[in-house]
Amino acid sequence: MEILERINNFLNKWLVVVGGIAVLALMTLATGNVCFRIFGAPYRGAYELVSFLGAVVTAFSLGYTQKRKGHIVVDILSETFSPGVKRVVDSVSYFITMIFFAIISWVICRWGLRIAASGEVSETLKIAYYPFILCVALGFAFLCLTLIMDFLNALLKKGGNPAS
Amino acid sequence: MSGPIVGVIGILVMFAVLFLLRIPAAFTMMLVGFLGVTYVTSFKAALGMIGPDLWNIFSNYGLTVIPMFILVGEFVHYGGYNNSLYYATYRWFGHYKGGLAITTIMACAAFSAISGSNTATAATMSSVAIPEMKKYNYHPMLNAGSVAAGATLGVLIPPSIVLVVYGLYTGQSIGKLFFGNVIPSAILTVLIAATVFYICYQHPEWGPKGPKSTWRERMKALPEIIDILILFAIIMYALFTGVVTATEAAAASCALGLAICLIRRKLTWKGFIASILDTLRISCLVFMIVAGATIFGRFLAVTRLPFEAASLISSLDLPNWILLWIILICYIIGGCVMDALAFLLISLPIFFPLVMAMGYDPVWFGQVVCIVTTMGSIMPPIGICCYIVAGMAKDIPLGTVFRGSLYYIPAYIISMAILMLSPYWTVLVLSDLVK
């Protein structure tokens, strides 16, 4: 269990590092394009690259945000539950969401591989963009992994963690 | 079972899951939307929809403006500009009765001009304003209530994340929405400040006067807020002229904000890393809510519920303004029980076509919705700003924060009424200028 936790933390940490670099790259690229435009030579591919970087930023933060319990939960009713009931409810909700995001990760991965096989490229830069789709699939896979950890924690530890 | 009935059942199931299973709002909308599409069409069709849909949202160029506006706010926050803003406004307003509370509201408004988030504004301003007001024996209700109400300006004053999401969801120009927001923001800020005067008139002992600053001290404090004004001006000018996209304007202000913080040696390495981490977390939260709402919206569209509801309500023999108030009351109730942004996105597929059918201007409606959404963040029982303020001011109970915030609710209602009385002079007069 502890080893799993450590692996999850390590992998999510690296994903966040890449996500952080992506957000700074996004800022630099979009700002650079403003400067290029002032000099009458905007970079045509900026629009596409910014979009792809945006996808990386969000996808690679999915696991980290879940780990920090950063998503909004409406606990107005569930606050009144006893700790035991909360633990059961949390286990069920983690289990459902973990299955759901595993499916989503698999669907996006399959779709990305299909795009790769078809040789589809982006409109302006004419580059293969399937790696970015696979990054989104990877982000959801790490969200799923974090939910598995949350599920195991809620199931095995006394009290359990709240869903958020 | 007819499509619209399936849609209504879907909404009920979503609320049941949301309230009972403690699953985050974004995940719930996504899950119920996905299962709903599966029910109405097929599992294969739902699978075929969700992958490309999520990719399209995550790689949406328009949405990349969100991490940029969050990042600039975080740089300014970790750069410690909250202190500068607070003490600069204190020099101007501190000597009035309730002057520290007014200072807080004005400083919140100034901070909001660079931050699009009410939670960031609440956390930032709580740390500076609450101890100061305690020092001058301000009543806890006035103290905490003014910080919570002031913080709501974070999502109202441009750059506003709510307006960005509304604009992208309904296809409205972000520039028009931001410019149309200038007068409503000013009206609400003045009304919130006027509420402080009213509270101090009713309870003079709640907000004692502070020491008066000299004119020299006041003028000397102004350069402290020039950096923020420059950043705000750049964003607004760029959006006004339309020479750059909203993302580019936000990114440029972000780069400039970082440069200013570094040149003035305000941002530490630790602060820089914290800015990035907070940006990733908040952006992810917003993107997932947008994704969840999009997928849930798709399910509702498949059931034809929004169209049927729109035609049903428009067939009622009621004046438009009554229908509009009914919609706004739904938003107020919705804002009381769940996160306002999430509720906004859930409800837009239903209410937006209806409001358009009534002939209202989409930019104007965006401002009204933004104010009502803003109000949700101080409404009990889940007003997020009150929770943050109570968390920061350890010795002020949550109930006191909520009670203190309730004084400001009429300010929001009056603002909405003013917007309804004159859509042109409050919103369209400026939004129509945007190219």
Side-chain angles (χ1 to χ4, degrees):
Chain A
M1 179 76 186
E2 259 182 41
I3 294 172
L4 262 178
E5 187 93 55
R6 246 184 260 166
I7 293 171
N8 182 38
N9 287 348
F10 176 79
L11 294 174
N12 267 322
K13 191 179 153 190
W14 279 104
L15 239 57
V16 165
V17 170
V18 179
I21 293 169
V23 83
L24 291 173
L26 199 162
M27 177 187 85
T28 312
L29 184 62
T31 309
N33 203 39
V34 175
C35 301
F36 291 145
R37 188 168 298 146
I38 290 168
F39 294 109
Y43 177 49
R44 280 191 320 128
Y47 188 91
E48 267 178 6
L49 283 180
V50 164
S51 304
F52 295 152
L53 285 170
V56 173
V57 168
T58 316
F60 282 10
S61 325
L62 283 167
Y64 169 72
T65 309
Q66 175 57 28
K67 204 174 137 44
R68 292 281 310 271
K69 308 288 176 247
H71 293 288
I72 297 157
V73 169
V74 182
D75 54 5
I76 177 173
L77 273 184
S78 56
E79 260 189 348
T80 58
F81 296 170
S82 68
V85 174
K86 269 187 193 170
R87 198 155 68 109
V88 172
V89 168
D90 284 343
S91 306
V92 171
S93 62
Y94 285 136
F95 183 75
I96 294 170
T97 46
M98 135 195 141
I99 301 285
F100 179 59
F101 287 114
I103 293 173
I104 286 186
S105 175
W106 167 71
V107 167
I108 298 175
C109 180
R110 206 182 56 166
W111 183 61
L113 292 175
R114 207 182 305 147
I115 298 261
S118 70
E120 201 174 309
V121 290
S122 65
E123 274 178 35
T124 317
L125 288 172
K126 306 289 177 208
I127 55 165
Y129 66 97
Y130 73 90
F132 296 101
I133 300 178
L134 295 180
C135 282
V136 174
L138 187 69
F140 275 105
F142 278 95
L143 171 61
C144 178
L145 184 64
T146 311
L147 286 164
I148 291 173
M149 296 312 304
D150 287 336
F151 171 67
L152 292 175
N153 275 327
L155 205 66
L156 303 175
K157 282 184 188 172
K158 277 188 180 176
N161 293 336
S164 172
Chain B
M1 215 184 306
S2 73
I5 301 227
V6 175
V8 172
I9 293 172
I11 292 173
L12 295 176
V13 169
M14 188 204 58
F15 278 112
V17 172
L18 200 59
F19 283 97
L20 297 174
L21 280 186
R22 293 157 61 82
I23 297 180
F27 297 2
T28 306
M29 288 192 278
M30 217 179 272
L31 180 64
V32 177
F34 175 76
L35 294 175
V37 174
T38 303
Y39 179 80
V40 178
T41 57
S42 68
F43 184 61
K44 204 177 164 190
L47 281 184
M49 169 207 78
I50 203 161
D53 259 8
L54 284 171
W55 164 251
N56 288 335
I57 294 160
F58 278 33
S59 63
N60 183 317
Y61 179 83
L63 284 173
T64 52
V65 71
I66 291 170
M68 291 296 96
F69 275 142
I70 294 170
L71 186 58
V72 64
E74 293 297 332
F75 282 151
V76 170
H77 164 48
Y78 283 102
Y81 271 93
N82 47 349
N83 284 311
S84 314
L85 283 172
Y86 190 81
Y87 291 111
T89 37
Y90 172 74
R91 299 274 175 224
W92 289 84
F93 299 103
H95 60 287
Y96 293 110
K97 256 191 187 157
L100 282 175
I102 292 169
T103 297
T104 304
I105 287 154
M106 293 304 167
C108 281
F111 187 77
S112 304
I114 208 66
S115 167
S117 151
N118 54 2
T119 49
T121 312
T124 304
M125 282 302 155
S126 294
S127 59
V128 193
I130 290 173
E132 279 299 314
M133 283 193 267
K134 268 184 199 162
K135 202 160 80 186
Y136 285 95
N137 292 323
Y138 269 52
H139 192 282
M141 284 221 283
L142 178 61
N143 181 344
S146 62
V147 181
T152 63
L153 296 171
V155 284
L156 184 69
I157 297 177
S160 154
I161 296 298
V162 169
L163 281 181
V164 168
V165 171
Y166 173 87
L168 293 169
Y169 204 80
T170 60
Q172 300 307 310
S173 148
I174 307 282
K176 276 181 184 288
L177 285 166
F178 279 8
F179 267 83
N181 184 262
V182 171
I183 296 173
S185 297
I187 291 172
L188 185 60
T189 307
V190 169
L191 286 174
I192 291 177
T195 308
V196 174
F197 276 119
Y198 174 76
I199 295 171
C200 291
Y201 174 74
Q202 291 285 319
H203 310 279
E205 72 286 359
W206 281 22
K209 285 180 183 177
K212 193 170 183 174
S213 305
T214 61
W215 277 100
R216 191 187 159 85
E217 284 171 326
R218 286 179 196 176
M219 296 316 242
K220 214 175 153 188
L222 283 182
E224 291 287 315
I225 55 172
I226 280 178
D227 296 348
I228 299 293
L229 289 178
I230 289 172
L231 288 175
F232 181 67
I234 285 174
I235 295 172
M236 294 305 269
Y237 175 75
L239 290 173
F240 182 75
T241 53
V243 290
V244 293
T245 64
T247 300
E248 287 171 343
S253 68
C254 211
L256 195 66
L258 177 62
I260 289 172
C261 286
L262 292 177
I263 290 166
R264 294 198 185 273
R265 295 176 180 275
K266 278 180 174 277
L267 193 66
T268 60
W269 175 247
K270 211 175 152 187
F272 175 74
I273 296 295
S275 306
I276 305 277
L277 289 177
D278 282 359
T279 302
L280 292 180
R281 184 175 50 79
I282 301 169
S283 306
C284 181
L285 178 157
V286 177
F287 266 75
M288 284 299 275
I289 287 183
V290 173
T294 306
I295 288 162
F296 192 73
R298 243 179 211 282
F299 157 60
L300 292 184
V302 171
T303 65
R304 293 195 48 80
L305 177 67
F307 317 106
E308 298 290 337
S311 65
L312 175 77
I313 296 174
S314 53
S315 68
L316 294 174
D317 197 18
L318 288 171
N320 282 352
W321 67 271
I322 291 186
L323 289 176
L324 192 64
W325 272 108
I326 292 172
I327 291 172
L328 293 179
I329 288 167
C330 290
Y331 275 106
I332 292 171
I333 296 168
C336 289
V337 293
M338 66 184 289
D339 176 70
L341 183 62
F343 186 75
L344 174 74
L345 283 169
I346 289 171
S347 58
L348 272 180
I350 297 170
F351 291 142
F352 187 71
L354 183 65
V355 172
M356 291 305 100
M358 288 194 279
Y360 288 109
D361 184 275
V363 174
W364 171 84
F365 181 64
Q367 311 306 332
V368 178
V369 157
C370 193
I371 291 179
V372 78
T373 307
T374 304
M375 189 173 85
S377 58
I378 54 165
M379 293 277 280
I382 65 148
I384 183 80
C385 286
C386 294
Y387 276 92
I388 291 171
V389 171
M392 301 289 285
K394 304 274 183 225
D395 54 343
I396 302 179
L398 181 62
T400 308
V401 184
F402 271 122
R403 280 207 302 280
S405 305
L406 287 178
Y407 278 99
Y408 300 89
I409 298 295
Y412 295 85
I413 309 275
I414 295 169
S415 300
M416 282 188 275
I418 294 173
L419 257 67
M420 283 180 189
L421 284 174
S422 179
Y424 180 77
W425 289 108
T426 51
V427 176
L428 305 178
V429 66
L430 288 183
S431 68
D432 285 352
L433 293 176
V434 178
K435 289 162 193 164

